[in-house]
Amino acid sequence: MTRRRGFSLLEVLLALVLAGLPVVAAQRLMVHSVVQTRLAAEHRHAVQAAHGSWERIYAFHVHGLWPQQQLAAGTWVPNLAGTLSPAVDDRSLEHCVNRWCAQGAWAAYELAILQCALAGQPQGCGDVSRWSEPSDLQSELTQTALPRWYLGLRGFHARIAVEDGLSIEVSWPGASVAPALEGSELDPDARNRIQLGGAS
Amino acid sequence: MKVRGVTLIELLVAMTLGLMLLAVLVHVLVGARQLSTELGQQSEIEEQVGLVRQLLAGALAGAGSLGCLDRPDGVFNLLNTDWAHLGLLNPWPGVDILVDPSLSDLFSNMDDLSSNSHGVVIRGYARPLARLTEALGDHRGEAQLHSLQTRVNSGDVVLLSDCQQGAVFSATRTWHSQGRLRFSWDTGSGAWDNAAVAQTMAGDPIPTDLDQLGSGFAPDAQLWGPSGLLLYVAPSRVVSADSDSEVYALWQKTVGGRAMELMTGVHQLQARYGAWTDQHGGQMGYFDGDALPADAQVVLLLLRISLVAHRYDDVGVRPVEIAIPMASGTGG
């Protein structure tokens, strides 16, 4: 009777390498897929935030300012022009909820709303827009339940221009991936960008 | 020849390497699954928000409408002129935010409204009924119905408008024949019996007797029926009743229609006006339903819908904000 030998360590390692190759390939594919999905979600978040600001500004300009000849048709409140970043602005902000704001204060308020929306404040810019917070149920809930994609854009740069028509431009880093996947192969210098409005 | 097999150490090393590989794979899989689930929820929410936005934009296009939907100015003006304050016209034209909808007659038959949510009422005359075929006279009018199925019953409140002037009255003694409608307008003592004096958008008084309108309405004047939409939060009927706790939903109900569940899992609905005033060189602001100044010109409706967001064993509240310009969807 012949006694069969087992596998040597070299054989086992070789088998592992051969088996691992497709696994690694599948992993890279999944990481790529997740990253692309994440980037699509960020893109959608940026568009939604910019679109919300656009609708608000548009409504006031079409109905509130042009008919009264306070601004020439086709022009926008100049104070709306500005740049935004996630950095906390320590300037005191005059809110415009349940009180009237002059054009300049309203423009500053709108910029703060956009900044807050892009950053994805968990409570929907509660401090800025001063919505009353959800009562009863809220106290029992945990904020950790908020999905990761709701945390907004990191390292974004936004710009509102009013020279050639109103335009809202937002860019953010391409490496903003889910925490679990950070460190994967991504180009940190790549930036995503969206723009609403403006001269073509 | 005796060949030895794998030693315990070799086996452990091989297993460790394999497990490490597997751990990395599982880690990625779990991350992908979480992200996929969350994005699926996000997509579902966005679809529902898109539906709400589209619905409201359409309803707001007719809010306070003079029946001239291709003319946004008409919508805007009616919302912001004395028309909206006339007793004769109430409660139709305009957009009302009700901080406590349970106190309103419009919600009186709903006894299970969410106690912490606002109600929104959007109303106008956006339902075309008939085209005037002859000038008003002899205390009666005649019109061609747009559809043979359309009926205007005695007592129905209608708007007669040619986009320049209009009058709201309670039709009486209506008669239908082969798509034609004859109507009259008696004056009674009730709030809807043409007892009050209205006025045109230009501020001219309209006598109760429409015959006295002088030159009368343009040949293309039309009769419009009232349209209305209620938005509120009430218990869901989609989620089964055996749920541990009451699940609320965002509902819409058209006047004369059935209620429809728009979004399930809504914790709270808050609404606010975006408005401006020409005082002090023009000022803007956002106002709660019970804080709108008398001189405010409403241009925007802001909705904040707090959704109950589930994530594995946790539950959170995710606010979604919608901004809809008043004339959105009116074209022109």
Side-chain angles (χ1 to χ4, degrees):
Chain A
M1 181 178 140
T2 307
R3 185 172 180 190
R4 300 185 59 180
R5 70 175 185 91
F7 298 109
S8 71
L9 178 58
L10 190 62
E11 290 169 334
V12 171
L13 288 177
L14 184 63
L16 268 176
V17 169
L18 290 175
L21 279 175
V23 171
V24 170
Q27 179 198 347
R28 290 174 62 88
L29 196 64
M30 278 189 288
V31 168
H32 181 73
S33 169
V34 168
V35 167
Q36 290 303 316
T37 309
R38 168 71 185 179
L39 292 179
E42 289 179 345
H43 186 273
R44 198 162 47 193
H45 179 85
V47 168
Q48 284 178 340
H51 189 260
S53 285
W54 178 275
E55 293 277 42
R56 297 158 70 104
I57 296 170
Y58 173 84
F60 280 103
H61 269 257
V62 169
H63 297 304
L65 299 170
W66 290 349
Q68 300 300 310
Q69 282 87 43
Q70 293 180 27
L71 289 172
T75 61
W76 303 81
V77 172
N79 311 64
L80 283 169
T83 57
L84 301 170
S85 68
V88 177
D89 194 338
D90 57 1
R91 289 179 302 174
S92 60
L93 177 69
E94 186 180 359
H95 76 83
C96 301
V97 176
N98 291 331
R99 61 195 294 270
W100 293 118
C101 283
Q103 284 183 17
W106 169 75
Y109 178 71
E110 283 300 327
L111 290 174
I113 291 282
L114 176 59
Q115 179 188 32
C116 180
L118 288 171
Q121 295 295 324
Q123 284 308 307
C125 312
D127 288 336
V128 178
S129 60
R130 291 175 181 250
W131 291 98
S132 62
E133 298 307 327
S135 54
D136 49 294
L137 178 64
Q138 180 61 37
S139 60
E140 303 167 11
L141 301 177
T142 56
Q143 291 305 310
T144 54
L146 286 167
R148 279 195 301 262
W149 39 256
Y150 189 65
L151 297 181
L153 305 178
R154 288 173 289 175
F156 68 82
H157 176 83
R159 175 175 173 267
I160 298 185
V162 295
E163 300 90 18
D164 300 315
L166 178 70
S167 73
I168 301 176
E169 178 188 326
V170 182
S171 64
W172 66 100
S176 179
V177 295
L181 299 173
E182 271 182 315
S184 55
E185 76 298 348
L186 282 168
D187 179 6
D189 296 327
R191 290 190 74 83
N192 301 287
R193 176 178 172 277
I194 60 120
Q195 179 175 344
L196 295 185
S200 57
Chain B
M1 185 181 92
K2 183 178 180 181
V3 180
R4 72 174 184 88
V6 187
T7 66
L8 181 60
I9 297 297
E10 290 168 341
L11 193 62
L12 286 177
V13 169
M15 283 179 63
T16 303
L17 289 172
L19 285 175
M20 283 174 64
L21 206 60
L22 200 61
V24 171
L25 190 63
V26 167
H27 184 64
V28 175
L29 276 173
V30 168
R33 180 176 165 273
Q34 289 177 353
L35 192 60
S36 170
T37 304
E38 291 164 0
L39 288 174
Q41 292 174 349
Q42 168 79 344
S43 293
E44 191 176 339
I45 289 171
E46 284 176 9
E47 282 178 21
Q48 292 175 322
V49 168
L51 175 67
V52 172
R53 183 187 294 278
Q54 188 177 13
L55 181 85
L56 290 181
L60 284 172
S65 172
L66 274 174
C68 310
L69 295 182
D70 57 336
R71 298 177 55 158
D73 286 352
V75 177
F76 174 71
N77 286 337
L78 186 55
L79 276 173
N80 293 293
T81 60
D82 289 340
W83 277 64
H85 304 294
L86 290 172
L88 181 63
L89 294 179
N90 280 334
W92 294 112
V95 178
D96 292 333
I97 295 172
L98 306 176
V99 175
D100 186 355
S102 64
L103 300 177
S104 166
D105 290 342
L106 290 167
F107 294 89
S108 59
N109 57 346
M110 303 174 192
D111 53 4
D112 50 1
L113 293 169
S114 167
S115 59
N116 62 357
S117 289
H118 297 169
V120 177
V121 182
I122 301 172
R123 44 200 178 193
Y125 286 88
R127 206 155 48 88
L129 299 174
R131 182 176 54 81
L132 208 61
T133 52
E134 63 180 47
L136 301 177
D138 197 20
H139 223 263
R140 71 179 182 86
E142 187 166 315
Q144 181 73 40
L145 292 166
H146 292 307
S147 163
L148 289 175
Q149 283 74 45
T150 302
R151 291 192 67 81
V152 178
N153 297 316
S154 291
D156 283 358
V157 176
V158 293
L159 164 74
L160 178 59
S161 165
D162 60 5
C163 297
Q164 300 300 320
Q165 59 182 348
V168 175
F169 62 95
S170 176
T172 58
R173 294 200 297 272
T174 59
W175 175 79
H176 301 77
S177 174
Q178 296 180 330
R180 300 180 76 82
L181 166 72
R182 284 185 186 163
F183 59 92
S184 185
W185 53 89
D186 290 341
T187 303
S189 56
W192 292 96
D193 293 339
N194 310 320
V197 175
Q199 64 183 26
T200 67
M201 289 173 58
D204 302 324
I206 292 178
T208 314
D209 192 339
L210 299 179
D211 279 351
Q212 298 176 33
L213 273 173
S215 58
F217 292 89
D220 61 349
Q222 297 205 50
L223 286 174
W224 299 81
S227 58
L229 182 142
L230 311 179
L231 204 64
Y232 56 96
V233 176
S236 167
R237 288 184 195 157
V238 173
V239 177
S240 61
D242 58 359
S243 176
D244 291 340
S245 58
E246 188 91 272
V247 176
Y248 282 82
L250 181 67
W251 288 81
Q252 71 106 14
K253 184 179 184 303
T254 52
V255 172
R258 296 171 64 90
M260 183 171 76
E261 188 168 333
L262 293 177
M263 295 178 82
T264 305
V266 171
H267 172 58
Q268 191 175 43
L269 168 68
Q270 293 174 289
R272 187 174 280 163
Y273 298 108
W276 77 285
T277 176
D278 56 5
Q279 302 293 316
H280 308 293
Q283 294 180 307
M284 292 81 102
Y286 302 95
F287 295 91
D288 293 329
D290 52 1
L292 188 68
D295 61 341
Q297 308 281 298
V298 177
V299 296
L300 187 70
L301 179 64
L302 295 174
L303 292 182
R304 188 197 206 216
I305 304 169
S306 297
L307 297 167
V308 178
H310 293 268
R311 190 181 180 207
Y312 309 110
D313 295 332
D314 293 331
V315 182
V317 171
R318 193 213 156 175
V320 175
E321 293 186 14
I322 304 175
I324 309 174
M326 281 299 182
S328 175
T330 52

